[in-house]
Amino acid sequence: MAQKRYLFTPGPTPVPPEVLAALAEPVVHHRGPDYRAVFGECLERLRSVCRTTSDVLLFTCSGTGAMESAVANICSPGDRVVVVSAGAFGERWQKLAAAYGCEVDALSYTWGETPSPDDLAARLGELGGAKAVFLTHSETSTGVVADLQALAAAAKPSGALVVVDGVSSLGAVPLETDAWGIDVLASGSQKALMTPPGLGLAVVSPAAWGALGTSPRFYFDWEKTRSGQEKLDSAFTPAVSLVRALNVALGMLLEEGLEAAFDRHVRLGRACREGAKAMGLELFSPDEDRSAVVTAIRAPEGIDATELVLALRDRYGVSLVGAHGELKGKVFRIGHIGYYDVFDIATALGAVELALTDAGAEIERGVAVTRALEAFAAPARV
Ligand SMILES: Cc1ncc(COP(=O)(O)O)c(C=O)c1O
């Protein structure tokens, strides 16, 4: 029998059977009534999940496409922008803005640090403002979830548009687009939204609509997309099956309730961290409830994290991820967002325990899963 596979990566994430079933339905034409009903419901559900009354624009692309749409629509060549960067995805904002000819001022931190709202306010003060501030809510490369509310509040008085990468945070941790004054939120389908990769979304505030730039754009032109969506139409052929699947997944998330989903993610994060520590492993990501998306763990002395991840996949069918840049070989990451419960954490930790034992690491055996189950059972809100 083929080996059973487990997907514990921070994107793509496991997809519920109901969502997979929706993908298997016959393809319909995107200008017919069947699709329009699904499309309209999906856009409405996205507004609820993003906690916004603004337009949510849906694109056939991954999360980076939605991020690129933000730069292409609000920036003009030569605009000064500030990018807060503490990992691979902060660096992605820098590269995107530079590719569109922006004058990029990076507020850079060592990977794994948590960006400070005071530093951001000070930098904007020194610069005398910027067209936009680009933020990463959940820095998937390090496991840090930033205090987005405080960062957005620090940026607001400067008049800059606040543009957020919510690719791995949307649906997993609290994200109040309107209440926190976020002007643009970019995200994707394949993380906590429990849908396969292939859909990107951008929430655009009235302030952002009023500040569009002059960068060249065509497929990602927000006005084209908005004028299509207003009629429940699309400027280009949409990924009809993925939209149908996303609609089902969003329905499941809203049925659970966003607050309940956030609590579940907090407890999953706790379970993962407590289990890893019980084994004797050192966390790389912060040991705090807010960082509930992915747990980054240092490989024990003498163990190469990249080889550990390969052994987990090839020997046990368990997919985790290693790390990028300077952390490569030193850190591995367990994702716990979306269609995920504590038994997934138990499986991931059990497999890590086995693979580390195979590799000769000195770890505490037989305690991680018990500790994880206990940590998950404790109430999330204290
Ligand atoms: C925080 C963050 N931003 C951006 C991306 C890029 O998204 P995509 O790979 O869907 O283009 C990812 C995906 O891993 C991510 O985790």
Side-chain angles (χ1 to χ4, degrees), residues 273-297:
R273 293 191 299 275
E274 291 303 317
K277 286 190 294 180
M279 225 187 286
L281 299 176
E282 194 189 329
L283 301 179
F284 176 80
S285 48
D287 196 355
E288 61 183 17
D289 279 352
R290 196 174 61 217
S291 293
V293 170
V294 55
T295 298
I297 301 168

Side-chain angles (χ1 to χ4, degrees), residues 105-160:
D105 187 272
L107 176 59
S108 295
Y109 296 87
T110 306
W111 284 32
E113 281 187 332
T114 303
S116 142
D118 291 344
D119 291 351
L120 177 58
R123 178 64 65 88
L124 284 163
E126 281 160 26
L127 292 172
K131 172 75 193 268
V133 171
F134 291 90
L135 302 170
T136 308
H137 189 191
S138 160
E139 181 46 85
T140 321
S141 63
T142 66
V144 172
V145 173
D147 184 347
L148 180 61
Q149 183 175 11
L151 288 168
K156 269 304 187 213
S158 73

Side-chain angles (χ1 to χ4, degrees), residues 10-11 61-65 67 89 92 136-141 165-169 188-191 197 199:
C61 62
S62 75
T64 306
M67 292 166 71
F89 295 105
R92 185 158 302 178
T136 308
H137 189 191
S138 160
E139 181 46 85
T140 321
S141 63
D165 168 351
V167 175
S168 65
S169 58
S189 54
Q190 81 278 21
K191 308 255 178 181
L199 293 176

